[in-house]
Each structure stands twice: as C-alpha cells, then as structure tokens.
C-alpha cells in the first residue's frame, strides 16, 4: 500500500511532465488545469488581526468576542486543508492569491489574507519555487487578484519579490494562444503571474488580470452552479484568453448564521444535494475547463 501511494503522489507531482507528446504543443488555454480557491487559507492565523477588507460588523464582532470569534471565522475562511507544497504534490497548478498589508505594521510586510491574515507572501512564494526547482517541467499560474491596504511602494516591493524568487522562470505576457508546454519548456519558463492591477501594464512578466477572468455563480445551490458554469464556458472560450471556472459555492449571511459553529465545509455539505466531495464544492477552481 505504501509503495502504491508513493507512485500516485509522484504521478500527481509531475503530471504535466508525463502528459502525452500530442498535448505538448496544444495551447494551455485549451487544457483544464486544476486550481484552488483562497489557496493560502491553510495558513490562516487565528491570532492575527482582522483583515482591512472586512466590514465594520465583523470588526465589532471580533472586538467583543476576541479569540473565540477568530476561531469561528477560521472555520468559514479556511477553504484548504493542505499547504502549498501539499497542493502542488496533489496536482494543483493554479493559485488564487490575495495580498494585504497589516495595519500599523512598521515593517510594511506583505501577507496573504482572507478575513484574517495568513502566511507572509515571500514565504509562500519561496515554498512554491522550491517545488518548481525539483519538478522543472511543471508550470504554475499565480493569480494575484485582490490587494488590500497596498500603496505604490507595496506593489513595487511585491514585483521585486517576484523577480528575486522566480527570476527567469517567469513567462513574459504574450498572446495566450502562443503558450504551450513545449513553448514554456524550450524557454525554461515555469511561472505565469496574473496581476489584477494597472501595475501589470508596467512590468513585462506580469499578465494583465483581464487575461484571467473569474466570474462566479454566487450561490449555495449546486444545480444553479452547474447551470452557470455550462452557460458561461462556451462564451468565455471564444475570447481566446485564460479563464477560471469556479466550482465554488458561496455562503450567504443566513448560511453563516445557521452554521456559525460548524463551519463552511460541514454546513455547505449538509445543505447541498448530490454526491460531490466537500473539497470540490468549497475550494476548487479549474483553469480553462470545458467540464466539471
């Protein structure tokens, strides 16, 4: 059993490298790439301050109930049970990244954040880079799609961080249809960085955010989610860019109130019909997917 499990892990860790040769020249816009939602949320720190994007009601809730409130929040914010290395080993290649500064932080450090703060950005990016160094034919999509409390110098710091960590592994922004595994392997590129900020227009290795759109169904109903995905995939594929099919159910305020103590995974699983695994329902994304 141990030997068999090891072989499966190796297969997932190097799945791009082991694809049939007929696929190597196909544009990556035509392939389904597995990704994760709020990819960094495994690292969410219950001892951290509340993120600056949170409404006043949440801020007040935490100020009254303190650590207990943050423990409850984490149950609704953490959509991942694996760190970056674990996700990469399981085959994930798209990462949904949301960046924030901490209020009154003298070091102006950058953190991943979703309601509460998570790992330092440089630590997470270096963890991903370590995997890429050991698996030189694997390619990742880093989608920086939300920024909180960031000024121009914070963006400059993040851009320099990307340069220092990934260097020549980053693929410059070109026409999406030109990007295939063969193209990337020939040039030793392993990282495509999508940056949802005007800063992307100033830096050659940043792909503008509109080249990775990610609409979502905003529903707790699996049937409505499937209908939304089916209706949108054909239209988005015509545009020739990368895109996200979010297999994500979004809890409403009433959903949170109903299951405040149980958390996202248990509450959404109980309220949903069908045989999906909860990990798929609350945390999965597919890049360029034609089907679920």
């Amino acid at each position: 059993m141990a030997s068999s499990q090891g072989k499966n892990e190796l297969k997932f860790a190097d799945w791009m490298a082991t694809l049939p040769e007929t696929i190597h020249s196909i544009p990556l816009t035509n392939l389904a790439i597995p990704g994760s939602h709020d990819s960094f949320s495994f690292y969410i720190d219950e001892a951290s301050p509340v993120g600056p994007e949170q409404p006043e009601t949440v801020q007040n809730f935490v100020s009254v109930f303190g650590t207990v409130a943050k423990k409850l929040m984490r149950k609704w914010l953490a959509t991942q049970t694996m760190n970056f290395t674990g996700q990469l080993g399981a085959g994930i290649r798209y990462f949904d990244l949301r960046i924030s500064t901490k209020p009154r932080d003298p070091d102006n450090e950058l953190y991943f954040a979703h309601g509460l703060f998570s790992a330092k950005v440089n630590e997470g990016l270096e963890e991903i880079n370590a995997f890429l160094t050991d698996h030189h034919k694997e390619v990742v999509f880093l989608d920086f799609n939300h920024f909180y409390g960031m000024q121009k110098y914070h963006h400059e710091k993040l851009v320099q961080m990307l340069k220092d960590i990934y260097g020549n592994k980053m693929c410059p922004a070109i026409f999406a249809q030109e990007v295939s595994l063969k193209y990337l392997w020939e040039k030793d590129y392993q990282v495509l960085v999508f940056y949802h900020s005007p800063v992307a227009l100033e830096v050659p290795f940043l792909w503008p955010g509109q080249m990775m759109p990610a609409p979502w169904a905003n529903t707790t109903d699996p049937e409505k989610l499937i209908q939304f995905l089916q209706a949108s995939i054909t239209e988005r594929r015509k545009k020739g860019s990368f895109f996200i099919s979010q297999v994500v159910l979004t809890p409403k305020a009433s959903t949170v109130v109903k299951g405040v103590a149980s958390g996202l995974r248990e509450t959404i699983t109980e309220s949903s019909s069908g045989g999906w695994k909860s990990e798929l329902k609350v945390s999965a994304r597919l890049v360029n997917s034609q089907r679920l």
Side-chain angles (χ1 to χ4, degrees):
M1 178 65 73
S3 175
S4 174
Q5 183 178 4
K7 289 181 180 180
N8 287 336
E9 289 176 352
L10 179 63
K11 179 180 178 181
F12 292 140
D14 293 287
W15 70 264
M16 287 181 163
T18 57
L19 287 172
E21 187 174 353
T22 53
I23 294 179
H24 296 175
S25 298
I26 294 176
L28 289 184
T29 53
N30 294 347
L31 301 183
I33 311 294
S36 57
H37 178 65
D38 290 323
S39 306
F40 50 84
S41 59
F42 170 84
Y43 305 87
I44 284 178
D45 181 8
E46 296 171 3
S48 81
V50 177
E53 83 284 6
Q54 290 301 297
E56 185 177 354
T57 52
V58 174
Q59 302 280 354
N60 293 337
F61 177 63
V62 172
S63 67
V64 173
F65 295 100
T67 302
V68 173
K70 292 180 181 179
K71 288 182 179 294
L72 293 176
M73 286 179 66
R74 193 185 190 285
K75 288 187 175 184
W76 286 92
L77 298 172
T79 61
Q80 302 303 326
T81 59
M82 294 182 182
N83 60 17
F84 285 130
T85 301
Q87 291 180 49
L88 286 160
I92 296 298
R93 295 294 178 267
Y94 165 91
F95 293 93
D96 164 26
L97 306 175
R98 304 164 189 224
I99 315 301
S100 180
T101 59
K102 279 185 179 180
R104 299 175 295 281
D105 178 9
D107 298 325
N108 284 314
E109 188 59 78
L110 299 178
Y111 295 85
F112 298 113
H114 182 225
L116 296 171
F117 289 93
S118 181
K120 291 181 179 179
V121 172
N122 67 303
E123 294 175 352
L125 298 183
E126 287 172 355
E127 186 178 345
I128 293 171
N129 186 54
F131 176 89
L132 295 175
T133 299
D134 291 337
H135 303 269
H136 65 277
K137 283 195 169 184
E138 300 306 298
V139 176
V140 298
F141 298 76
L142 304 183
D143 189 6
F144 294 86
N145 52 66
H146 287 72
F147 301 99
Y148 307 111
M150 289 182 61
Q151 305 299 321
K152 182 178 180 181
Y153 63 91
H154 292 118
H155 285 284
E156 292 173 349
K157 179 175 182 176
L158 180 52
V159 168
Q160 187 60 50
M161 189 185 299
L162 289 164
K163 288 181 181 179
D164 293 341
I165 294 174
Y166 297 114
N168 293 331
K169 289 179 181 176
M170 290 186 291
C171 176
I174 57 176
F175 289 111
Q177 290 291 323
E178 297 180 20
V179 181
S180 64
L181 287 174
K182 180 180 180 181
Y183 171 85
L184 296 172
W185 291 344
E186 288 176 348
K187 297 183 177 294
D188 294 324
Y189 294 146
Q190 289 184 272
V191 182
L192 279 73
V193 179
F194 294 84
Y195 209 84
H196 296 247
S197 163
V199 173
L201 302 177
E202 306 169 9
V203 182
F205 62 76
L206 296 181
W207 291 64
Q210 61 263 33
M211 297 189 74
M212 185 67 85
W216 84 104
N218 194 19
T219 180
T220 57
D221 186 335
E223 294 302 323
K224 290 182 179 178
L225 172 59
I226 293 173
Q227 292 171 10
F228 175 85
L229 292 171
Q230 291 175 335
S232 61
I233 285 174
T234 301
E235 182 60 30
R236 281 185 278 155
R237 180 163 293 283
K238 293 177 183 177
K239 298 181 179 180
S241 67
F242 295 98
F243 64 84
I244 306 297
S245 289
Q246 297 199 56
V247 191
V248 177
L249 296 176
T250 307
K252 303 175 184 177
S254 58
T255 312
V256 177
V257 171
K258 174 185 175 183
V260 64
S262 57
L264 175 66
R265 191 176 304 275
E266 290 78 6
T267 303
I268 291 294
T269 302
E270 289 174 2
S271 64
S272 301
S273 59
W276 298 3
K277 293 182 180 180
S278 59
E279 290 86 356
L280 179 64
K281 292 191 292 184
V282 301
S283 64
R285 289 183 169 204
L286 291 176
V287 180
N288 318 325
S289 176
Q290 296 184 34
R291 64 180 65 189
L292 294 183

